[in-house]
Amino acid sequence: MAIEKPEKAPKLADPIQSSIDPGTQEMIKRAQDLGIDTVFDRAVQMKPCNIGIQGICCKNCAMGPCRLPLPKGGIEGEDTRKGLCGATANTIAARNFIRMIAGGAAAHSDHGRCVAEVFLSVARKESDAYQIKDVDKLLSIAPYFDVAITVEEDGEVKDRDLDEITLEVAEKAINEWGKAEGELYYLKRAPEPLYEKWKKTGVLPRNIDREIVEIMHRTHMGVDQDYKNLMKQGTRAALADGWGGSMLATDLQDVLFGTPYPLQAEANLGVMKKDHVNIIVHGHEPVLSEMIVAMCQKPEMIEYAKSKGAKGIQLGGICCTANEIFQRHGVPQAGTYLQQELAIITGACDAMVVDIQCIFQNLANVAECFHTKLITTHPIAKMEQDSVIHIEFDEHHALEDAEKIVRLAIDNFENRGADVMIPQYKAQSVGGFGVESIQYHLGGTFRGTYYTLNDNIINGRIRGVAGVVGCNNARTRHNEAHIAVVKELIKNDVLVLTTGCNGIACAMEGLLTPESAGVYCGPGLKEVCETVGIPPVLHLGSCVDNSRILLAATEVVKAGGLGKELSDLPAAGSAPEWMSEKAISIGHYFVASGVYTVFGLHLPTAGAPVFHDYISKEMEKLYGGKWDLEADPIKHARLMIAHIDRKRKELGIDKARDRQLMDMADRMKLEASA
Ligand code: NFS
């Protein structure tokens, strides 16, 4: 008689080891008690492929997948590894790497395209749900598209009709995705020497879509077989993201929804309220979330919620949607990428509304265990599970769609089970910084430049500036590296600019408050933050808003005294817990813009050491920036600080100087010596 083997219980994640956040730990435990699996459990149940992780598995044709593991003990002498067609490890790793760039650039840029389409429909007066909220921003970007904002009439210069300007900007902006000739308009916003470098190396993007398509062609079986040439195309596509699709997304969102200015909110799952209708918006495009915010604020909706027994409507965001509605409306951030399932596990989420990117398919399975309505809204992002409701969002009837969604959530409030558990953890935060508000806070409107920031960098109070951005990754303890890197940087007087899920992690940790300067910063940064009243970690928005970091850095260059291009600045980039293809695209456009960029965890280049050396050493000669990898967060931050110090030395500002008030003559002297 065959003896039946008892079924082995699946291995579960240790909540404490899975996250540094006590609220997250509580929710992981609750999910386990309820027998619901989360990403944290799945991460301990499934190991990543050891060959894929190193970037050396080629599955671009049906003769493969060809796997090229590194020989034990490494490579001595010639590297003879090759696939069936002869592709080397370098070719395979470079192909995989630039396909990741293509994926990331496509995601950001398609998001940008959606915004540009809405903007065009507003310019054509086809949509009344959206309006131009920030005319100044529109007028400030128009010249980059060669759109005149004044005309000469009867010998006099007159302001041009705003509707006309709007339409011309909208048409030229949407054309950036597919124009037949020329190069992207925004490239000229970069410091001139950097633009000249791109021109010389032949990487100026022609249009956004073309660079992504060309990656797919070049990496098709039997096309580009030179890792350097493959990376050249990767660079072109990454620049088309950073200085193209992402920058357009940011600018047009600011024009339509308003340029963010500092405001206050709260962060973490504790923002959900037991006695309110809780709606969580998750994903990326503010085109959707802006309408949901507007609808939730309508008195008749609040009344409707009250008629169902709730005290009101509590909106919260997850992932970059959280960043978008936080920076423009002060809507609380309910959590990072890794907390999406947990928001439902509270039992208090009446509707989760998702659009595109970073959305787990398992949300549907988790929602089925509760009363939560999971609503997909985007035609390109549906789920196969029958329980998911699809309400397609369209800018032509945006408010009606938003109303339908909010009513559905309110109607669902009474279906809530008794077993609600909202972890009582949340922190205060201040966000909504950007190129304009940094200028205001650190420069003053009367100066209208980044002069004060530069002055504080030159005198050493601020040692340098770091962009710390990016995702969470279930292969590492949630938020641990994010927070350790940021704390080490600010302790060493490095001002941090944050976006994406790092921004949410910092908010949850209380680092986005001016008061945190006194607790965590070195003396110089503390003094600056306390004098000006800013947090030591400035939240600049979502991942497409990394373009704000590029432009802020460009303003620093323009303000003078710190070199002529981004690679001269005492600055560095970091993504301590990255996971998405978008992160690779961002990392690479920072590198190609001259920024030393360190990633945590691992890079899919480990199996091709020559290719890895190319991007982490040689690339610096081309663009002034390079990749680096360091999993240990303290070492990671110290690599960035060492780079910052090197740049300070090259600029001749390595000896911290006492603050001196500079006059115009001093400033010109500095500029002349730069
Ligand atoms: Ni960025 Fe935003 Fe978060 Fe990573 Fe996902 S939300 S676009 S990809 S996980 S930071």
Side-chain angles (χ1 to χ4, degrees), residues 108 284 319-320 337 357-358 470-472 500-501 543 579-580 582:
H108 286 143
H284 283 79
C319 280
C320 280
Y337 170 70
Q357 300 169 23
C358 302
C471 329
N472 292 125
C501 288
C543 287
M579 64 85 202
S580 79
K582 291 180 283 178

Side-chain angles (χ1 to χ4, degrees), residues 108 282-284 318-321 323 336-338 357-358 469-472 499-502 504 542-544 546 578-583 586:
H108 286 143
H282 168 24
H284 283 79
I318 298 245
C319 280
C320 280
T321 285
N323 292 317
T336 63
Y337 170 70
L338 282 185
Q357 300 169 23
C358 302
V469 307
C471 329
N472 292 125
T499 63
C501 288
N502 179 275
I504 305 174
S542 68
C543 287
V544 292
N546 282 315
W578 78 281
M579 64 85 202
S580 79
E581 293 172 322
K582 291 180 283 178
I586 294 166

Side-chain angles (χ1 to χ4, degrees), residues 87 154 298:
D154 312 325
K298 287 211 167 191

Side-chain angles (χ1 to χ4, degrees), residues 111 253 279-293 315-337 353-359 377 500-501 504 539 541-545 582:
H111 162 169
Q253 284 168 184
I279 304 178
I280 298 286
V281 260
H282 168 24
H284 283 79
E285 283 180 7
V287 167
L288 162 78
S289 49
E290 280 286 323
M291 290 300 112
I292 306 271
V293 173
L315 195 59
I318 298 245
C319 280
C320 280
T321 285
N323 292 317
E324 297 284 3
I325 53 181
F326 164 52
Q327 67 178 344
R328 293 198 182 86
H329 303 284
V331 171
Q333 298 160 303
T336 63
Y337 170 70
V353 191
V354 302
D355 59 6
I356 47 160
Q357 300 169 23
C358 302
I359 294 148
T377 56
C501 288
I504 305 174
H539 183 279
S542 68
C543 287
V544 292
D545 294 330
K582 291 180 283 178

Side-chain angles (χ1 to χ4, degrees), residues 209-220:
D209 288 348
R210 178 170 183 179
E211 306 312 351
I212 295 162
V213 169
E214 193 169 310
I215 285 186
M216 298 315 285
H217 179 192
R218 285 208 203 189
T219 56
H220 182 276

